[in-house]
Amino acid sequence: MYISLNYCLSLCVCASWLSLLPSDLGQSIFYTTTCLLPFLSDDILSTLPYTMISTLATFPPFLHKDIIEYLSTSFLPMAVLGSTRREGGVPAYVNLSASSMLMIAMQYTSNPVYHCQLLECLMKHKQEVWKDLLYVISYGPSQVKPPAVQMLFHYWPNLKPPGAISEYRGLQYTAWNPIHCQHIECHNAINKPAVKVISD
């Protein structure tokens, strides 16, 4: 006999906590929500990346790193994985909300490493992400345009016009560090970055 749990209701409770508790409990809420991911329907799962990135507007800055990490390592891959099994392609909602997610990340976080981490995750799961950056440059608020232009020319240097300034207002982008192996009995003595994250 198995216990029948209402995972959608559990997700709704976690989502309501997100709006009520912008404090140290944020990490626990993210972890709990991540544990629910494999049990959610594909329709709910496809909307979670946008919901997760929108918490950047309300959560304090010390949680921004966790938000981007959980989004890049769990929420986006699971949303894409769940829909590719069913439809054979990137889900429409994740595909359409990519530029909005980039815009929110650039608007509410000033750390360029977070921008790069989100962009690289999107590049891994979605084609033609440069179009999303062009959308951010065209329609985004003025504060997100310089980082978006810098990222566009950093990741797609062939789009940079000849004679263009290579650095915009001193913005420097460094690559984010991938997840390190956390296995207690890891055979790797120097804790190198994990080669593969398995989400099955």
PDB file of all heavy atoms in Angstrom, residues 103-132:
ATOM      1  N   MET A 103      15.751  38.888 -18.613  1.00  0.00           N
ATOM      2  CA  MET A 103      15.496  40.282 -18.261  1.00  0.00           C
ATOM      3  C   MET A 103      15.334  40.450 -16.752  1.00  0.00           C
ATOM      4  O   MET A 103      15.884  41.378 -16.155  1.00  0.00           O
ATOM      5  CB  MET A 103      14.236  40.771 -18.988  1.00  0.00           C
ATOM      6  CG  MET A 103      14.092  42.268 -19.034  1.00  0.00           C
ATOM      7  SD  MET A 103      12.632  42.816 -19.949  1.00  0.00           S
ATOM      8  CE  MET A 103      12.821  42.024 -21.522  1.00  0.00           C
ATOM      9  N   ILE A 104      14.608  39.542 -16.118  1.00  0.00           N
ATOM     10  CA  ILE A 104      14.419  39.615 -14.667  1.00  0.00           C
ATOM     11  C   ILE A 104      15.746  39.421 -13.945  1.00  0.00           C
ATOM     12  O   ILE A 104      16.055  40.133 -12.989  1.00  0.00           O
ATOM     13  CB  ILE A 104      13.372  38.575 -14.212  1.00  0.00           C
ATOM     14  CG1 ILE A 104      11.979  38.990 -14.681  1.00  0.00           C
ATOM     15  CG2 ILE A 104      13.388  38.404 -12.699  1.00  0.00           C
ATOM     16  CD1 ILE A 104      10.918  37.927 -14.478  1.00  0.00           C
ATOM     17  N   ALA A 105      16.547  38.463 -14.406  1.00  0.00           N
ATOM     18  CA  ALA A 105      17.840  38.220 -13.761  1.00  0.00           C
ATOM     19  C   ALA A 105      18.744  39.437 -13.867  1.00  0.00           C
ATOM     20  O   ALA A 105      19.416  39.811 -12.904  1.00  0.00           O
ATOM     21  CB  ALA A 105      18.514  37.000 -14.382  1.00  0.00           C
ATOM     22  N   MET A 106      18.762  40.088 -15.022  1.00  0.00           N
ATOM     23  CA  MET A 106      19.622  41.263 -15.195  1.00  0.00           C
ATOM     24  C   MET A 106      19.084  42.485 -14.460  1.00  0.00           C
ATOM     25  O   MET A 106      19.845  43.367 -14.087  1.00  0.00           O
ATOM     26  CB  MET A 106      19.778  41.575 -16.682  1.00  0.00           C
ATOM     27  CG  MET A 106      20.594  40.568 -17.414  1.00  0.00           C
ATOM     28  SD  MET A 106      20.710  41.006 -19.148  1.00  0.00           S
ATOM     29  CE  MET A 106      21.168  39.446 -19.841  1.00  0.00           C
ATOM     30  N   GLN A 107      17.786  42.523 -14.258  1.00  0.00           N
ATOM     31  CA  GLN A 107      17.191  43.675 -13.592  1.00  0.00           C
ATOM     32  C   GLN A 107      17.356  43.613 -12.077  1.00  0.00           C
ATOM     33  O   GLN A 107      17.582  44.636 -11.436  1.00  0.00           O
ATOM     34  CB  GLN A 107      15.706  43.762 -13.947  1.00  0.00           C
ATOM     35  CG  GLN A 107      15.026  45.005 -13.440  1.00  0.00           C
ATOM     36  CD  GLN A 107      13.615  45.139 -13.987  1.00  0.00           C
ATOM     37  OE1 GLN A 107      13.114  44.264 -14.681  1.00  0.00           O
ATOM     38  NE2 GLN A 107      12.975  46.239 -13.667  1.00  0.00           N
ATOM     39  N   TYR A 108      17.270  42.431 -11.496  1.00  0.00           N
ATOM     40  CA  TYR A 108      17.260  42.329 -10.040  1.00  0.00           C
ATOM     41  C   TYR A 108      18.563  41.833  -9.431  1.00  0.00           C
ATOM     42  O   TYR A 108      18.688  41.805  -8.213  1.00  0.00           O
ATOM     43  CB  TYR A 108      16.099  41.444  -9.581  1.00  0.00           C
ATOM     44  CG  TYR A 108      14.764  42.093  -9.831  1.00  0.00           C
ATOM     45  CD1 TYR A 108      13.954  41.676 -10.872  1.00  0.00           C
ATOM     46  CD2 TYR A 108      14.334  43.154  -9.043  1.00  0.00           C
ATOM     47  CE1 TYR A 108      12.734  42.284 -11.115  1.00  0.00           C
ATOM     48  CE2 TYR A 108      13.123  43.769  -9.277  1.00  0.00           C
ATOM     49  CZ  TYR A 108      12.326  43.330 -10.310  1.00  0.00           C
ATOM     50  OH  TYR A 108      11.124  43.942 -10.544  1.00  0.00           O
ATOM     51  N   THR A 109      19.514  41.405 -10.251  1.00  0.00           N
ATOM     52  CA  THR A 109      20.828  41.041  -9.726  1.00  0.00           C
ATOM     53  C   THR A 109      21.885  41.817 -10.489  1.00  0.00           C
ATOM     54  O   THR A 109      21.797  41.983 -11.700  1.00  0.00           O
ATOM     55  CB  THR A 109      21.123  39.536  -9.884  1.00  0.00           C
ATOM     56  OG1 THR A 109      21.150  39.205 -11.258  1.00  0.00           O
ATOM     57  CG2 THR A 109      20.100  38.694  -9.171  1.00  0.00           C
ATOM     58  N   SER A 110      22.868  42.268  -9.770  1.00  0.00           N
ATOM     59  CA  SER A 110      23.938  43.025 -10.423  1.00  0.00           C
ATOM     60  C   SER A 110      25.178  42.176 -10.663  1.00  0.00           C
ATOM     61  O   SER A 110      26.120  42.634 -11.291  1.00  0.00           O
ATOM     62  CB  SER A 110      24.302  44.244  -9.571  1.00  0.00           C
ATOM     63  OG  SER A 110      24.715  43.822  -8.284  1.00  0.00           O
ATOM     64  N   ASN A 111      25.177  40.950 -10.177  1.00  0.00           N
ATOM     65  CA  ASN A 111      26.340  40.084 -10.329  1.00  0.00           C
ATOM     66  C   ASN A 111      26.327  39.442 -11.716  1.00  0.00           C
ATOM     67  O   ASN A 111      25.436  38.661 -12.042  1.00  0.00           O
ATOM     68  CB  ASN A 111      26.331  39.002  -9.251  1.00  0.00           C
ATOM     69  CG  ASN A 111      27.632  38.250  -9.182  1.00  0.00           C
ATOM     70  OD1 ASN A 111      28.425  38.251 -10.117  1.00  0.00           O
ATOM     71  ND2 ASN A 111      27.859  37.598  -8.055  1.00  0.00           N
ATOM     72  N   PRO A 112      27.322  39.742 -12.555  1.00  0.00           N
ATOM     73  CA  PRO A 112      27.331  39.187 -13.911  1.00  0.00           C
ATOM     74  C   PRO A 112      27.530  37.673 -13.960  1.00  0.00           C
ATOM     75  O   PRO A 112      27.182  37.043 -14.944  1.00  0.00           O
ATOM     76  CB  PRO A 112      28.484  39.921 -14.593  1.00  0.00           C
ATOM     77  CG  PRO A 112      29.304  40.484 -13.510  1.00  0.00           C
ATOM     78  CD  PRO A 112      28.424  40.662 -12.319  1.00  0.00           C
ATOM     79  N   VAL A 113      28.063  37.090 -12.900  1.00  0.00           N
ATOM     80  CA  VAL A 113      28.237  35.636 -12.876  1.00  0.00           C
ATOM     81  C   VAL A 113      26.871  34.948 -12.900  1.00  0.00           C
ATOM     82  O   VAL A 113      26.691  33.927 -13.568  1.00  0.00           O
ATOM     83  CB  VAL A 113      29.056  35.209 -11.638  1.00  0.00           C
ATOM     84  CG1 VAL A 113      29.136  33.698 -11.528  1.00  0.00           C
ATOM     85  CG2 VAL A 113      30.449  35.801 -11.699  1.00  0.00           C
ATOM     86  N   TYR A 114      25.895  35.514 -12.208  1.00  0.00           N
ATOM     87  CA  TYR A 114      24.546  34.944 -12.223  1.00  0.00           C
ATOM     88  C   TYR A 114      23.931  35.042 -13.614  1.00  0.00           C
ATOM     89  O   TYR A 114      23.257  34.123 -14.072  1.00  0.00           O
ATOM     90  CB  TYR A 114      23.640  35.648 -11.222  1.00  0.00           C
ATOM     91  CG  TYR A 114      24.124  35.620  -9.795  1.00  0.00           C
ATOM     92  CD1 TYR A 114      23.711  36.579  -8.894  1.00  0.00           C
ATOM     93  CD2 TYR A 114      24.996  34.637  -9.338  1.00  0.00           C
ATOM     94  CE1 TYR A 114      24.141  36.566  -7.579  1.00  0.00           C
ATOM     95  CE2 TYR A 114      25.438  34.624  -8.030  1.00  0.00           C
ATOM     96  CZ  TYR A 114      25.004  35.591  -7.157  1.00  0.00           C
ATOM     97  OH  TYR A 114      25.434  35.576  -5.860  1.00  0.00           O
ATOM     98  N   HIS A 115      24.175  36.164 -14.289  1.00  0.00           N
ATOM     99  CA  HIS A 115      23.661  36.334 -15.648  1.00  0.00           C
ATOM    100  C   HIS A 115      24.261  35.275 -16.568  1.00  0.00           C
ATOM    101  O   HIS A 115      23.552  34.659 -17.373  1.00  0.00           O
ATOM    102  CB  HIS A 115      24.002  37.720 -16.191  1.00  0.00           C
ATOM    103  CG  HIS A 115      23.553  38.845 -15.325  1.00  0.00           C
ATOM    104  ND1 HIS A 115      24.054  40.118 -15.462  1.00  0.00           N
ATOM    105  CD2 HIS A 115      22.663  38.912 -14.306  1.00  0.00           C
ATOM    106  CE1 HIS A 115      23.494  40.916 -14.575  1.00  0.00           C
ATOM    107  NE2 HIS A 115      22.646  40.202 -13.856  1.00  0.00           N
ATOM    108  N   CYS A 116      25.573  35.072 -16.441  1.00  0.00           N
ATOM    109  CA  CYS A 116      26.253  34.076 -17.282  1.00  0.00           C
ATOM    110  C   CYS A 116      25.757  32.671 -16.991  1.00  0.00           C
ATOM    111  O   CYS A 116      25.563  31.874 -17.907  1.00  0.00           O
ATOM    112  CB  CYS A 116      27.760  34.141 -17.062  1.00  0.00           C
ATOM    113  SG  CYS A 116      28.530  35.598 -17.738  1.00  0.00           S
ATOM    114  N   GLN A 117      25.566  32.365 -15.731  1.00  0.00           N
ATOM    115  CA  GLN A 117      25.116  31.024 -15.366  1.00  0.00           C
ATOM    116  C   GLN A 117      23.740  30.738 -15.963  1.00  0.00           C
ATOM    117  O   GLN A 117      23.510  29.666 -16.529  1.00  0.00           O
ATOM    118  CB  GLN A 117      25.078  30.879 -13.849  1.00  0.00           C
ATOM    119  CG  GLN A 117      24.734  29.488 -13.382  1.00  0.00           C
ATOM    120  CD  GLN A 117      24.846  29.332 -11.880  1.00  0.00           C
ATOM    121  OE1 GLN A 117      25.184  30.264 -11.165  1.00  0.00           O
ATOM    122  NE2 GLN A 117      24.560  28.151 -11.395  1.00  0.00           N
ATOM    123  N   LEU A 118      22.835  31.699 -15.870  1.00  0.00           N
ATOM    124  CA  LEU A 118      21.503  31.510 -16.438  1.00  0.00           C
ATOM    125  C   LEU A 118      21.566  31.419 -17.959  1.00  0.00           C
ATOM    126  O   LEU A 118      20.932  30.554 -18.566  1.00  0.00           O
ATOM    127  CB  LEU A 118      20.579  32.649 -16.005  1.00  0.00           C
ATOM    128  CG  LEU A 118      19.161  32.599 -16.550  1.00  0.00           C
ATOM    129  CD1 LEU A 118      18.445  31.331 -16.094  1.00  0.00           C
ATOM    130  CD2 LEU A 118      18.387  33.828 -16.122  1.00  0.00           C
ATOM    131  N   LEU A 119      22.351  32.288 -18.580  1.00  0.00           N
ATOM    132  CA  LEU A 119      22.464  32.267 -20.033  1.00  0.00           C
ATOM    133  C   LEU A 119      23.066  30.953 -20.528  1.00  0.00           C
ATOM    134  O   LEU A 119      22.582  30.361 -21.497  1.00  0.00           O
ATOM    135  CB  LEU A 119      23.304  33.448 -20.525  1.00  0.00           C
ATOM    136  CG  LEU A 119      23.452  33.555 -22.037  1.00  0.00           C
ATOM    137  CD1 LEU A 119      22.123  33.922 -22.673  1.00  0.00           C
ATOM    138  CD2 LEU A 119      24.510  34.559 -22.404  1.00  0.00           C
ATOM    139  N   GLU A 120      24.101  30.464 -19.854  1.00  0.00           N
ATOM    140  CA  GLU A 120      24.722  29.209 -20.268  1.00  0.00           C
ATOM    141  C   GLU A 120      23.774  28.029 -20.084  1.00  0.00           C
ATOM    142  O   GLU A 120      23.771  27.098 -20.886  1.00  0.00           O
ATOM    143  CB  GLU A 120      26.022  28.992 -19.502  1.00  0.00           C
ATOM    144  CG  GLU A 120      27.120  29.937 -19.943  1.00  0.00           C
ATOM    145  CD  GLU A 120      28.367  29.852 -19.086  1.00  0.00           C
ATOM    146  OE1 GLU A 120      28.463  28.941 -18.235  1.00  0.00           O
ATOM    147  OE2 GLU A 120      29.251  30.700 -19.261  1.00  0.00           O
ATOM    148  N   CYS A 121      22.967  28.071 -19.050  1.00  0.00           N
ATOM    149  CA  CYS A 121      21.973  27.012 -18.860  1.00  0.00           C
ATOM    150  C   CYS A 121      20.934  27.062 -19.976  1.00  0.00           C
ATOM    151  O   CYS A 121      20.556  26.024 -20.527  1.00  0.00           O
ATOM    152  CB  CYS A 121      21.309  27.160 -17.498  1.00  0.00           C
ATOM    153  SG  CYS A 121      20.065  25.901 -17.176  1.00  0.00           S
ATOM    154  N   LEU A 122      20.490  28.255 -20.325  1.00  0.00           N
ATOM    155  CA  LEU A 122      19.527  28.385 -21.423  1.00  0.00           C
ATOM    156  C   LEU A 122      20.148  27.941 -22.746  1.00  0.00           C
ATOM    157  O   LEU A 122      19.483  27.305 -23.567  1.00  0.00           O
ATOM    158  CB  LEU A 122      19.039  29.828 -21.533  1.00  0.00           C
ATOM    159  CG  LEU A 122      18.042  30.271 -20.467  1.00  0.00           C
ATOM    160  CD1 LEU A 122      17.814  31.773 -20.539  1.00  0.00           C
ATOM    161  CD2 LEU A 122      16.729  29.527 -20.613  1.00  0.00           C
ATOM    162  N   MET A 123      21.427  28.261 -22.949  1.00  0.00           N
ATOM    163  CA  MET A 123      22.102  27.859 -24.185  1.00  0.00           C
ATOM    164  C   MET A 123      22.190  26.337 -24.291  1.00  0.00           C
ATOM    165  O   MET A 123      22.163  25.790 -25.391  1.00  0.00           O
ATOM    166  CB  MET A 123      23.504  28.469 -24.244  1.00  0.00           C
ATOM    167  CG  MET A 123      23.505  29.956 -24.511  1.00  0.00           C
ATOM    168  SD  MET A 123      25.087  30.790 -24.244  1.00  0.00           S
ATOM    169  CE  MET A 123      26.220  29.821 -25.172  1.00  0.00           C
ATOM    170  N   LYS A 124      22.280  25.682 -23.164  1.00  0.00           N
ATOM    171  CA  LYS A 124      22.374  24.223 -23.166  1.00  0.00           C
ATOM    172  C   LYS A 124      21.049  23.575 -23.564  1.00  0.00           C
ATOM    173  O   LYS A 124      21.031  22.520 -24.185  1.00  0.00           O
ATOM    174  CB  LYS A 124      22.796  23.746 -21.778  1.00  0.00           C
ATOM    175  CG  LYS A 124      22.975  22.263 -21.665  1.00  0.00           C
ATOM    176  CD  LYS A 124      23.453  21.873 -20.292  1.00  0.00           C
ATOM    177  CE  LYS A 124      23.609  20.374 -20.194  1.00  0.00           C
ATOM    178  NZ  LYS A 124      24.013  19.958 -18.858  1.00  0.00           N
ATOM    179  N   HIS A 125      19.942  24.214 -23.217  1.00  0.00           N
ATOM    180  CA  HIS A 125      18.632  23.594 -23.414  1.00  0.00           C
ATOM    181  C   HIS A 125      17.793  24.225 -24.516  1.00  0.00           C
ATOM    182  O   HIS A 125      16.731  23.713 -24.838  1.00  0.00           O
ATOM    183  CB  HIS A 125      17.831  23.643 -22.109  1.00  0.00           C
ATOM    184  CG  HIS A 125      18.475  22.895 -20.991  1.00  0.00           C
ATOM    185  ND1 HIS A 125      18.617  21.525 -20.990  1.00  0.00           N
ATOM    186  CD2 HIS A 125      19.040  23.322 -19.842  1.00  0.00           C
ATOM    187  CE1 HIS A 125      19.227  21.143 -19.891  1.00  0.00           C
ATOM    188  NE2 HIS A 125      19.498  22.213 -19.177  1.00  0.00           N
ATOM    189  N   LYS A 126      18.238  25.323 -25.081  1.00  0.00           N
ATOM    190  CA  LYS A 126      17.416  26.045 -26.045  1.00  0.00           C
ATOM    191  C   LYS A 126      18.291  26.518 -27.199  1.00  0.00           C
ATOM    192  O   LYS A 126      19.434  26.893 -27.001  1.00  0.00           O
ATOM    193  CB  LYS A 126      16.771  27.243 -25.343  1.00  0.00           C
ATOM    194  CG  LYS A 126      15.819  28.041 -26.172  1.00  0.00           C
ATOM    195  CD  LYS A 126      15.252  29.181 -25.340  1.00  0.00           C
ATOM    196  CE  LYS A 126      14.277  30.010 -26.116  1.00  0.00           C
ATOM    197  NZ  LYS A 126      14.856  30.789 -27.175  1.00  0.00           N
ATOM    198  N   GLN A 127      17.738  26.536 -28.383  1.00  0.00           N
ATOM    199  CA  GLN A 127      18.475  27.000 -29.552  1.00  0.00           C
ATOM    200  C   GLN A 127      18.224  28.490 -29.760  1.00  0.00           C
ATOM    201  O   GLN A 127      17.183  29.012 -29.376  1.00  0.00           O
ATOM    202  CB  GLN A 127      18.013  26.226 -30.783  1.00  0.00           C
ATOM    203  CG  GLN A 127      18.198  24.745 -30.614  1.00  0.00           C
ATOM    204  CD  GLN A 127      18.872  24.132 -31.796  1.00  0.00           C
ATOM    205  OE1 GLN A 127      19.032  24.752 -32.819  1.00  0.00           O
ATOM    206  NE2 GLN A 127      19.281  22.897 -31.648  1.00  0.00           N
ATOM    207  N   GLU A 128      19.177  29.145 -30.357  1.00  0.00           N
ATOM    208  CA  GLU A 128      19.086  30.557 -30.738  1.00  0.00           C
ATOM    209  C   GLU A 128      18.754  31.472 -29.555  1.00  0.00           C
ATOM    210  O   GLU A 128      17.848  32.299 -29.610  1.00  0.00           O
ATOM    211  CB  GLU A 128      18.070  30.743 -31.862  1.00  0.00           C
ATOM    212  CG  GLU A 128      18.446  29.999 -33.127  1.00  0.00           C
ATOM    213  CD  GLU A 128      17.455  30.184 -34.246  1.00  0.00           C
ATOM    214  OE1 GLU A 128      16.296  30.573 -33.981  1.00  0.00           O
ATOM    215  OE2 GLU A 128      17.840  29.943 -35.391  1.00  0.00           O
ATOM    216  N   VAL A 129      19.517  31.328 -28.496  1.00  0.00           N
ATOM    217  CA  VAL A 129      19.327  32.172 -27.313  1.00  0.00           C
ATOM    218  C   VAL A 129      19.726  33.613 -27.613  1.00  0.00           C
ATOM    219  O   VAL A 129      19.256  34.542 -26.962  1.00  0.00           O
ATOM    220  CB  VAL A 129      20.123  31.595 -26.117  1.00  0.00           C
ATOM    221  CG1 VAL A 129      19.980  32.453 -24.887  1.00  0.00           C
ATOM    222  CG2 VAL A 129      19.658  30.188 -25.812  1.00  0.00           C
ATOM    223  N   TRP A 130      20.547  33.810 -28.626  1.00  0.00           N
ATOM    224  CA  TRP A 130      20.949  35.165 -28.988  1.00  0.00           C
ATOM    225  C   TRP A 130      19.738  36.006 -29.370  1.00  0.00           C
ATOM    226  O   TRP A 130      19.732  37.220 -29.159  1.00  0.00           O
ATOM    227  CB  TRP A 130      21.996  35.150 -30.102  1.00  0.00           C
ATOM    228  CG  TRP A 130      21.557  34.505 -31.379  1.00  0.00           C
ATOM    229  CD1 TRP A 130      21.632  33.186 -31.705  1.00  0.00           C
ATOM    230  CD2 TRP A 130      20.962  35.160 -32.494  1.00  0.00           C
ATOM    231  NE1 TRP A 130      21.118  32.978 -32.959  1.00  0.00           N
ATOM    232  CE2 TRP A 130      20.701  34.175 -33.475  1.00  0.00           C
ATOM    233  CE3 TRP A 130      20.624  36.481 -32.771  1.00  0.00           C
ATOM    234  CZ2 TRP A 130      20.113  34.472 -34.696  1.00  0.00           C
ATOM    235  CZ3 TRP A 130      20.050  36.773 -33.998  1.00  0.00           C
ATOM    236  CH2 TRP A 130      19.799  35.773 -34.940  1.00  0.00           C
ATOM    237  N   LYS A 131      18.700  35.387 -29.890  1.00  0.00           N
ATOM    238  CA  LYS A 131      17.476  36.130 -30.209  1.00  0.00           C
ATOM    239  C   LYS A 131      16.800  36.633 -28.934  1.00  0.00           C
ATOM    240  O   LYS A 131      16.220  37.719 -28.919  1.00  0.00           O
ATOM    241  CB  LYS A 131      16.511  35.257 -31.007  1.00  0.00           C
ATOM    242  CG  LYS A 131      16.976  34.981 -32.416  1.00  0.00           C
ATOM    243  CD  LYS A 131      15.964  34.145 -33.162  1.00  0.00           C
ATOM    244  CE  LYS A 131      16.414  33.871 -34.581  1.00  0.00           C
ATOM    245  NZ  LYS A 131      15.456  33.031 -35.320  1.00  0.00           N
ATOM    246  N   ASP A 132      16.886  35.839 -27.870  1.00  0.00           N
ATOM    247  CA  ASP A 132      16.332  36.279 -26.590  1.00  0.00           C
ATOM    248  C   ASP A 132      17.111  37.473 -26.046  1.00  0.00           C
ATOM    249  O   ASP A 132      16.528  38.400 -25.479  1.00  0.00           O
ATOM    250  CB  ASP A 132      16.337  35.132 -25.581  1.00  0.00           C
ATOM    251  CG  ASP A 132      15.422  34.000 -26.006  1.00  0.00           C
ATOM    252  OD1 ASP A 132      14.268  34.277 -26.378  1.00  0.00           O
ATOM    253  OD2 ASP A 132      15.863  32.842 -25.975  1.00  0.00           O
TER     254      ASP A 132
END
